[in-house]
Amino acid sequence: MSQAIASDNQSAFLDRLVGDVVASLPGATRVFRAHRVGFCCCVDKTLRDAARQKGADADAMARALAKLQTGQPAIPMNDDNAALVAYIQARYHNTHRRELPELLMLARKVEAVHNDHADCPHGLADTLEELKLELDDHMMKEEMILFPVMQSSGDFLKGPIAQMRLEHEGHGEFIHRLEHLTNRVTLPDGACRSWQALYAGVGKLIEDLVGHIYLENYLLFPRFEN
């Protein structure tokens, strides 16, 4: 990649919405976290504005994000509702169902083995279990009620969408709890492999939740609220 092309790629990130960056670029939340820029509550702000608000170096963040580009499957951005719904189910619903049970077992193990460690994430497993139950119920309602109508007539959705948005706010609170319990997903010195795997999984879960919520709140739902 030439220096000019690399510079163009970096600059392109500055005016992208934070939510779009997180949803489309695996590993992006690590960059935001490293620069101490919150990403959960500023998904509708540009990277430039979010960085300015926190006094962070937007250009440095853009350079780091440009290095993460890996050719991930593109988010359907046209008006094909069925394609976007299928993407959300494959990318997020299936991923949550596949990864949360293992993450929960890891959390139980780490809390049991390192119970007396000063940085033990006490309460993390219970929080993950509560989140799993919430997500299972939320995703089932979307798949059984909301998504089928979206792929047909799209009628009578303002009420169900309002409920989903309300539940997303609750999921945002879970993100804050996960970050608090893990010290912003920061491993203590000498953490064992299980602890490392747990925090890697928690970091990915947070990223997935932000991307999931962003795509529905800002891309999918507005199509059915007019």
Side-chain angles (χ1 to χ4, degrees):
M1 178 183 294
S2 72
Q3 185 173 353
I5 294 175
S7 177
D8 288 344
N9 287 347
Q10 294 164 20
S11 298
F13 279 106
L14 294 174
D15 294 312
R16 287 178 62 181
L17 296 181
V18 169
D20 174 56
V21 173
V22 172
S24 62
L25 194 60
T29 54
R30 292 196 298 272
V31 174
F32 284 91
R33 196 174 287 117
H35 289 266
R36 304 192 70 80
V37 174
F39 46 85
C40 181
C41 298
C42 61
V43 292
D44 57 346
K45 292 183 172 65
T46 64
L47 172 64
R48 191 194 308 274
D49 289 342
R52 183 186 299 119
Q53 185 175 342
K54 293 294 184 179
D57 187 337
D59 290 325
M61 294 179 67
R63 286 194 296 274
L65 291 167
K67 293 178 182 178
L68 294 176
Q69 291 178 304
T70 58
Q72 290 290 314
I75 299 169
M77 297 299 290
N78 55 26
D79 293 329
D80 187 343
N81 298 324
L84 182 55
V85 165
Y87 178 91
I88 290 171
Q89 288 189 247
R91 173 63 183 85
Y92 296 111
H93 288 207
N94 294 350
T95 299
H96 294 326
R97 291 186 175 113
R98 182 175 63 250
E99 296 182 356
L100 261 170
E102 176 65 21
L103 205 54
L104 179 55
M105 287 190 290
L106 269 175
R108 295 279 184 218
K109 177 181 178 181
V110 169
E111 288 188 57
V113 173
H114 302 285
N115 181 61
D116 58 351
H117 194 291
D119 293 313
C120 180
H122 296 293
L124 179 58
D126 288 343
T127 297
L128 288 170
E129 185 168 27
E130 187 180 348
L131 173 59
K132 180 180 181 301
L133 292 173
E134 293 274 353
L135 279 175
D136 283 344
D137 180 67
H138 178 84
M139 294 186 298
M140 182 183 68
K141 285 186 286 191
E142 289 187 332
E143 292 168 1
M144 299 296 292
I145 301 170
L146 197 62
F147 289 169
V149 179
M150 285 179 167
Q151 296 176 78
S152 56
S153 65
D155 293 333
F156 309 113
L157 290 181
K158 287 187 178 180
I161 286 175
Q163 178 61 32
M164 294 301 99
R165 286 186 180 277
L166 182 63
E167 292 180 12
H168 284 169
E169 292 180 14
H171 301 159
E173 290 302 315
F174 274 108
I175 291 173
H176 293 304
R177 286 168 61 182
L178 292 172
E179 291 206 309
H180 173 73
L181 289 167
T182 61
N183 188 26
R184 292 175 57 87
V185 200
T186 303
L187 283 164
D189 293 337
C192 68
R193 291 186 182 276
S194 292
W195 207 333
Q196 293 174 32
L198 172 62
Y199 276 26
V202 169
K204 182 179 182 299
L205 171 62
I206 290 171
E207 185 167 73
D208 286 347
L209 285 171
V210 173
H212 187 177
I213 293 168
Y214 171 79
L215 284 187
E216 293 187 352
N217 278 1
Y218 291 90
L219 189 58
L220 181 63
F221 292 169
R223 298 180 182 183
F224 301 92
E225 292 176 308
N226 295 329

